[in-house]
Amino acid sequence: MHNATTSTTDALLSAVTGSTQEVVELGHPHFTGMPCSPNHPGFRMTLIRRHGDMVRPDGGSASNEIIVTGGHVGTHVDALSHVSHEGMLHGGVDAADAQRGGKFSQLGADQIPFLLRRGLLLDIAALHGVEALEAGQAITAKDLQDAADAAGVSPRSGDVVLIRTGWARHFGDPARYLGQTDGVPGPDVEAARWLASAGIVAAGADTTAFEHIPAGKGHSVLPVHRIMLVENGIHIIEHLNLEDASRHGLTEFTFVMAPLRIVGGTGSPIRPVAVVTR
């Protein structure tokens, strides 16, 4: 019989049980009416059975709901099947062949990895001394390097890099947040190449499309998605809320993300967190 008092030999479990952890939420709650890109169906949740609609003989009752949502609504992660270029997905996979039958046979959301990785926060808003960047402001490779230097960190292979623009504070104002008229801040093409050169596994931001959206352009072209997803196989995390992470002064932390294993999908809702040992 296993002795319950025997100390564990698992280093991670020992760290968890032997110290105090603080969990910092990195995403938004999902709710009906939250901002959604015009390219995707929005999130809807409603109760289809309420307490009292049916009461069991012993007085018990239950309630349940129906949820309808696109895979790229609210805080979510993109699968590598989400974007193609000239008919090809990451690794030269033919997009038309892969999507036959109404779901992706390759690179689908069920293949997005569970992530327990080193996470880095590059706080670009703080770097510029503002609560939020301007609408349509491009984040350059120099911005990312300067933010990394200020935080005393450097992205390396397998990391997850989160970029704070401060845009999450506009989440309650869908028109401004989505930026169809005025644009949205985010990494430009050279910033994307800077990220990819580090060999990271995923990158995320507190905006609807991760990348720089110039005024009046909407989501007409998304070159950063091509660089990250198609050319480099780097997952993109969108609609993050990095305000608490910034207030906590996070720079380097344990990043945890568990996507739903949606067979053949192109993205998945997530609840990402930063775990910090105090």
Side-chain angles (χ1 to χ4, degrees):
M1 179 180 293
H2 176 71
N3 185 345
T5 62
T6 301
S7 62
T8 179
T9 58
D10 186 293
L12 179 59
L13 181 57
S14 294
V16 170
T17 57
S19 59
T20 301
Q21 286 77 40
E22 184 172 2
V23 175
V24 180
E25 296 281 355
L26 300 174
H28 294 280
H30 284 66
F31 60 90
T32 300
M34 64 184 174
C36 174
S37 165
N39 291 338
H40 302 289
F43 178 90
R44 296 291 183 270
M45 189 284 288
T46 189
L47 298 178
I48 60 169
R49 175 180 286 180
R50 300 172 185 272
H51 291 291
D53 289 346
M54 188 278 288
V55 180
R56 295 184 173 88
D58 65 355
S61 185
S63 180
N64 56 33
E65 71 273 40
I66 184 169
I67 297 171
V68 179
T69 186
H72 300 267
V73 182
T75 306
H76 69 277
V77 60
D78 293 346
L80 299 184
S81 58
H82 180 44
V83 169
S84 65
H85 185 65
E86 296 183 346
M88 295 296 177
L89 302 173
H90 176 65
V93 173
D94 186 278
D97 287 343
Q99 68 189 3
R100 293 186 193 281
K103 63 180 183 295
F104 280 92
S105 58
Q106 299 181 67
L107 305 180
D110 51 309
Q111 300 301 310
I112 303 171
F114 168 82
L115 294 180
L116 178 63
R117 299 292 182 105
R118 177 181 182 245
L120 302 179
L121 177 64
L122 302 185
D123 196 335
I124 308 302
L127 178 71
H128 288 279
V130 297
E131 292 185 340
L133 300 182
E134 295 294 325
Q137 181 175 342
I139 294 173
T140 66
K142 184 178 186 303
D143 287 326
L144 296 181
Q145 184 64 65
D146 288 348
D149 291 344
V153 299
S154 182
R156 58 180 183 241
S157 179
D159 284 352
V160 176
V161 175
L162 307 183
I163 299 168
R164 177 177 174 262
T165 70
W167 211 241
R169 65 183 53 247
H170 303 314
F171 197 71
D173 182 351
R176 184 174 186 185
Y177 180 78
L178 296 174
Q180 295 296 298
T181 300
D182 297 331
V184 181
D188 64 13
V189 166
E190 291 308 314
R193 292 191 175 120
W194 184 91
L195 290 166
S197 70
I200 63 175
V201 69
D206 50 359
T207 63
T208 183
F210 178 75
E211 63 183 273
H212 174 226
I213 304 297
K217 295 294 185 180
H219 296 174
S220 56
V221 291
L222 297 172
V224 169
H225 275 64
R226 182 192 74 246
I227 292 168
M228 303 291 279
L229 294 168
V230 182
E231 296 178 6
N232 291 282
I234 298 170
H235 295 280
I236 296 175
I237 305 168
E238 293 161 328
H239 293 293
L240 289 167
N241 185 352
L242 302 175
E243 298 307 286
D244 281 351
S246 180
R247 282 191 288 270
H248 279 74
L250 296 189
T251 55
E252 182 182 34
F253 49 88
T254 300
F255 176 84
V256 184
M257 181 195 84
L260 301 178
R261 298 171 69 187
I262 302 172
V263 174
T266 66
S268 169
I270 55 171
R271 183 182 180 179
V273 299
V275 181
V276 183
T277 301
R278 301 297 186 186

